[in-house]
Amino acid sequence: MSKSKVGNFFEDFSLGQVIRHAAPRTVTVGDVALYTALYLPRFAVQSSAAFAQAIGYREAPIDDILVFHFVLGKTVPDVSLNAIANLGYADFKFLAPVYPGDTLTATSEVIGLKENSNKETGVVYVRSTGKNQRGETVLDYARWVMVKKRDKDAPVGPEVVPTLLKSVAPADLGKAVPAINVAAYDKDLAGSPYFWGDYEVGEKIDHIDGMTVEEAEHQIATRLYQNNSKVHFNQYYEAQGRFGKRIIYGGHVISLARALSFNGLENAFHIAAVNGGRHVNPLFAGGTVFAWSEVLDKAEIPGRSDIGALRLRLVATKDHPPADFPLTTAEGKPHPAVLLDLDYWAVLPR
């Protein structure tokens, strides 16, 4: 019997199944430097220990999306190694800061299963939790992926599609942010004079800049997160697939869009929660990613006078500067240039 693992197929999952994922990951400043080289994030709190300490952090925290990548990367060998596509996210909360030297582990629970009509694939819903070395939950989220079946005729259990929250409540925001000394928050060093109160619901922001994705970059990124999904870096495998080439990891697009959003949201230094998100179209090397945002809502965070939350829609586009804020066509279908549609809460000083 082979000792090599081939990953789970759709019929291998069962409702309520709990999976402890392998390979704990200690996060280092080297990881942060490589992440910066890949995406160019410029938020002052994560970029500068001196800035972070001045406003109340122990030191510069790890970028929220990098934490997400590490936790999701742990889950791939067990959840999505045989996935065709990562479909979406919901009820996604950052609950504690992560600092260099912290070690992350992950577990997942299967919360839903739905076989597709072609009998060749099915959608697996999981809730994944990332914890640090002290057992504190730093990240909790639901996601769903389309996974191949090993055997088209294999029997599967009853269909269960979980009911997920449409949005994270304001009371659950800001848990990963210490008390902020707003008077010490240097707007010049942060890059913008605009705080929470300066944004209005309905406001749209063209983030202007674009970033072209190179083949080597997205493969380095995927390896950095220890994400071994075949579709991202195995060209021999993907040459036989529907696109004939490697698909760029959807999280790579999230990181690019988040980094690009700095231009116009410079003081949105923390992602507190993700209400939902969809990878609308695939991205391949050579494409240029742009981004725009819309302010969907504003919220005060109970018990916090130092920070407030903006509910933002972050849209990433391919080869389409977003001055016209593309989202859907006249027929109501997704705009062909749209790669990502992400609904999230960001924290800003007040």
Side-chain angles (χ1 to χ4, degrees):
M1 181 180 293
S2 172
K3 293 182 174 61
S4 299
K5 296 180 180 179
V6 297
N8 290 314
F9 291 84
F10 180 76
E11 61 264 41
D12 298 324
F13 293 97
S14 59
L15 195 66
Q17 178 183 3
V18 176
I19 305 169
R20 294 181 68 208
H21 303 295
R25 177 64 177 262
T26 300
V27 188
T28 70
V29 292
D31 295 317
V32 175
L34 184 51
Y35 189 79
T36 301
L38 286 166
Y39 302 110
L40 191 63
R42 291 176 283 167
F43 297 96
V45 172
Q46 288 78 17
S47 297
S48 166
F51 191 101
Q53 290 166 349
I55 66 171
Y57 279 89
R58 189 184 85 196
E59 56 185 299
I62 301 297
D63 190 285
D64 304 303
I65 303 300
L66 180 55
V67 173
F68 159 66
H69 288 316
F70 282 143
V71 173
L72 184 140
K74 304 294 101 195
T75 73
V76 168
D78 301 307
V79 174
S80 51
L81 186 64
N82 296 306
I84 293 175
N86 189 37
L87 300 177
Y89 313 94
D91 192 18
F92 191 131
K93 298 183 288 289
F94 290 94
L95 300 170
V98 175
Y99 297 104
D102 283 345
T103 297
L104 301 178
T105 57
T107 60
S108 295
E109 179 183 359
V110 179
I111 59 173
L113 293 166
K114 181 181 183 296
E115 186 180 30
N116 290 328
S117 58
N118 63 11
K119 303 292 184 180
E120 295 177 352
T121 60
V123 179
V124 180
Y125 298 80
V126 296
R127 177 166 290 282
S128 297
T129 302
K131 294 187 177 184
N132 62 22
Q133 68 275 16
R134 294 179 294 278
E136 300 164 337
T137 298
V138 301
L139 173 62
D140 182 83
Y141 67 94
R143 75 163 171 140
W144 49 103
V145 295
M146 187 184 301
V147 179
K148 292 180 180 179
K149 289 184 70 176
R150 179 189 291 105
D151 178 1
K152 182 176 180 179
D153 298 321
V156 297
E159 176 181 308
V160 176
V161 177
T163 300
L164 299 170
L165 294 177
K166 297 296 184 184
S167 64
V168 177
D172 289 329
L173 305 177
K175 295 181 185 296
V177 181
I180 295 298
N181 180 358
V182 179
Y185 193 101
D186 190 320
K187 293 181 178 180
D188 291 334
L189 293 182
S192 170
Y194 303 121
F195 276 5
W196 177 76
D198 298 309
Y199 292 87
E200 300 295 333
V201 174
E203 183 176 354
K204 293 182 179 181
I205 305 167
D206 176 1
H207 298 304
I208 306 294
D209 303 317
M211 196 175 300
T212 301
V213 180
E214 305 296 344
E215 198 77 79
E217 291 172 348
H218 79 88
Q219 291 179 82
I220 288 172
T222 308
R223 294 179 186 128
L224 175 67
Y225 317 134
Q226 297 173 316
N227 179 340
N228 66 331
S229 182
K230 301 171 187 174
V231 299
H232 302 318
F233 56 77
N234 187 330
Q235 181 56 35
Y236 176 82
Y237 176 87
E238 277 305 296
Q240 305 164 59
R242 54 182 174 150
F243 298 114
K245 53 186 174 181
R246 288 161 288 198
I247 303 170
I248 290 175
Y249 163 48
H252 194 71
V253 178
I254 294 175
S255 284
L256 285 170
R258 166 64 174 164
L260 291 168
S261 75
F262 175 83
N263 188 3
L265 288 167
E266 291 88 345
N267 292 317
F269 65 87
H270 169 60
I271 294 180
V274 175
N275 300 304
R278 295 186 304 126
H279 296 292
V280 181
N281 285 298
L283 177 66
F284 305 99
T288 299
V289 177
F290 296 88
W292 65 272
S293 294
E294 179 182 5
V295 180
L296 300 176
D297 198 3
K298 295 178 67 173
E300 296 186 1
I301 299 174
R304 302 294 296 261
S305 60
D306 54 338
I307 55 175
L310 294 182
R311 185 173 180 177
L312 298 164
R313 164 174 255 162
L314 176 60
V315 178
T317 62
K318 178 185 69 174
D319 299 334
H320 187 115
D324 58 339
F325 305 111
L327 186 62
T328 57
T329 64
E331 295 77 25
K333 296 180 179 180
H335 192 287
V338 172
L339 297 166
L340 172 74
D341 185 2
L342 192 70
D343 174 350
Y344 73 102
W345 285 106
V347 163
L348 291 83
R350 295 180 62 176

